[in-house]
Amino acid sequence: MKKINILFVIFAMTMLLFSSCDEEYDVKIEIDTVEDGMHLTPSVEELTLSQDLMDETAITFSWDQAQERINNGQIKYYFKLGLPGFTTATDTIPIEEGVFEYSITHFDLNTLLYGLGINFGSTAEIVAEVIASSNGDFFVKPEISTTKVLVTTFEIEPVNLYLVGSANPNGSEISHGIKLTEIIEGKDIGNKYQWEGNLQIGTFKFVNSLVEDKGSWSMGASSTELVQNSTNSSSDMEFTVTKSGLYSIILNKNDKEIIFGYKGFSHVWAVGTGIGVAWNMPSSTEFSWDPRNPSIFTLECTMQGNNDFKLPYNDQSAGWGCPFLRPIVANANIWEDNRIQATPAGYGDDLKWWVTEEQSGPAIVTIDALNETITLEKR
């Protein structure tokens, strides 16, 4: 009799508990996941990534369809890559419905692994995981399948380009070519270059190698157009330099475009109350410069009448003894005499521009390095 009473009490309490839950809570039943039936498999178990194949598929991970879930939920697949134990991993990647594989190119995998902390040019084991989950009538743990792959990443190798020709102050021989700086942006390798340095009067083009004939890049129909040549031909039309000094070059092989021009000065600053800057050296007020218009330096400022100014250039380390851009005559009025001269460090005559009352106020001062002029435009 006592055993019957005890069982009855337990049953009554259980029913009361479920009755209470139904009124106040949405009860979810959790079911353990099934064993791995997807069998995630890589197309290769070991691979070496290559820059030469960067746009080609490096590896494909494929899997079987997940087992049906008992919670009436639609199965969705997610993929991720990481280091063993997933101490570092990508975010889960949603997989399109009806797709049971994930592919990645040499370049993208190389970049992804670097983001996970694997150095370029090193070998590491990575783990791939596919997750099949479903949201239905109640929660069911996802079905998961994992695999491992041994991957060797590549270091991005620059694609060298050299300036050669009689305009090269080091000599016209190809062996004396000047290497340009390659601009690598993501997959954009061996395409964009820039350079700044001194050239002398003469001509120039670009070659792909200093030691063997791998072709050249020369002038096309205009001085802004590049043409690719299969060999280093002596008949290539070259770009012309008519004034020696500091030049800027930017080029884009894909667009067949080059912008080069006389820059003259690496930096130009302003100093003096006439141009709205304190008489302090070194000056922190620098003219703006655009590599697409290399001869031009500009400064937006507020001119102050009945005051003067001068322009330090290239190097301010010598303070007041540094080189300055100056007028040709003392107290020059820009609107009457727009000539400039680049005086060296320690120059004797302290020539400066004089700002009139009429020139006071907001203005744009422009230096044209090629034509050696200065202009003042009121705003």
Side-chain angles (χ1 to χ4, degrees), residues 11 13 18-19 44 70 93 116 158 287 303 354 359 365 373:
F11 175 78
M13 290 178 66
F18 273 101
S19 175
V44 293
I70 62 173
I93 302 167
L116 295 180
F287 279 66
M303 309 298 288
W354 182 257
Q359 293 167 344
V365 175
T373 60

Side-chain angles (χ1 to χ4, degrees), residues 49-122:
L49 300 175
S50 169
Q51 179 174 318
D52 294 336
L53 303 173
M54 63 181 183
D55 290 324
E56 297 185 16
T57 298
I59 187 170
T60 297
F61 296 91
S62 57
W63 57 91
D64 297 329
Q65 189 169 348
Q67 300 168 66
E68 291 297 327
R69 315 328 316 268
I70 62 173
N71 62 348
N72 297 318
Q74 181 185 5
I75 299 174
K76 294 184 178 181
Y77 296 90
Y78 301 88
F79 182 85
K80 69 177 180 178
L81 285 170
L83 302 184
F86 286 108
T87 53
T88 305
T90 64
D91 293 333
T92 53
I93 302 167
I95 302 299
E96 186 179 346
E97 184 177 354
V99 174
F100 301 98
E101 64 177 27
Y102 178 84
S103 298
I104 189 168
T105 65
H106 283 254
F107 184 87
D108 289 343
L109 181 55
N110 202 67
T111 303
L112 184 152
L113 296 183
Y114 183 77
L116 295 180
I118 298 174
N119 292 330
F120 289 144
S122 62

Side-chain angles (χ1 to χ4, degrees), residues 130-332:
V130 63
I131 305 164
S133 64
S134 60
N135 293 322
D137 298 335
F138 49 83
F139 176 75
V140 176
K141 288 183 178 179
E143 181 178 346
I144 297 174
S145 185
T146 62
T147 190
K148 297 178 181 180
V149 179
L150 194 65
V151 181
T152 300
T153 59
F154 64 83
E155 292 190 55
I156 296 176
E157 292 291 336
V159 179
N160 294 329
L161 189 68
Y162 304 91
L163 182 150
V164 298
S166 60
N168 180 358
N170 299 329
S172 59
E173 297 84 357
I174 286 182
S175 59
H176 293 157
I178 301 171
K179 186 169 73 170
L180 278 65
T181 300
E182 182 182 0
I183 304 170
I184 297 175
E185 298 173 332
K187 290 185 180 180
D188 197 3
I189 301 171
N191 178 40
K192 296 177 182 176
Y193 297 83
Q194 65 181 20
W195 178 80
E196 184 177 302
N198 290 312
L199 295 176
Q200 62 188 14
I201 295 174
T203 61
F204 68 89
K205 63 179 180 180
F206 307 96
V207 297
N208 299 313
S209 172
L210 299 181
V211 296
E212 56 183 316
D213 190 344
K214 290 187 175 181
S216 66
W217 294 82
S218 58
M219 191 173 78
S222 71
S223 60
T224 62
E225 182 181 341
L226 277 173
V227 172
Q228 185 176 11
N229 310 290
S230 58
T231 63
N232 298 343
S233 172
S234 59
S235 62
D236 295 343
M237 186 179 296
E238 300 188 359
F239 300 95
T240 302
V241 175
T242 58
K243 180 177 182 176
S244 61
L246 184 67
Y247 278 76
S248 167
I249 296 175
I250 58 174
L251 62 85
N252 186 312
K253 290 179 181 177
N254 285 348
D255 295 340
K256 303 292 193 296
E257 178 190 46
I258 179 173
I259 298 174
F260 85 96
Y262 182 81
K263 184 178 182 183
F265 317 110
S266 57
H267 302 275
V268 177
W269 296 272
V271 66
T273 50
I275 202 168
V277 181
W279 283 104
N280 295 324
M281 285 291 289
S283 172
S284 59
T285 302
E286 185 170 2
F287 279 66
S288 298
W289 176 77
D290 180 2
R292 303 190 72 86
N293 198 3
S295 295
I296 304 301
F297 296 79
T298 59
L299 178 68
E300 295 187 12
C301 56
T302 302
M303 309 298 288
Q304 296 188 25
N306 299 319
N307 286 277
D308 53 10
F309 70 93
K310 55 186 176 180
L311 308 175
Y313 73 93
N314 286 4
D315 181 9
Q316 299 187 87
S317 61
W320 295 111
C322 78
F324 283 93
L325 300 182
R326 303 176 187 272
I328 302 298
V329 297
N331 298 321

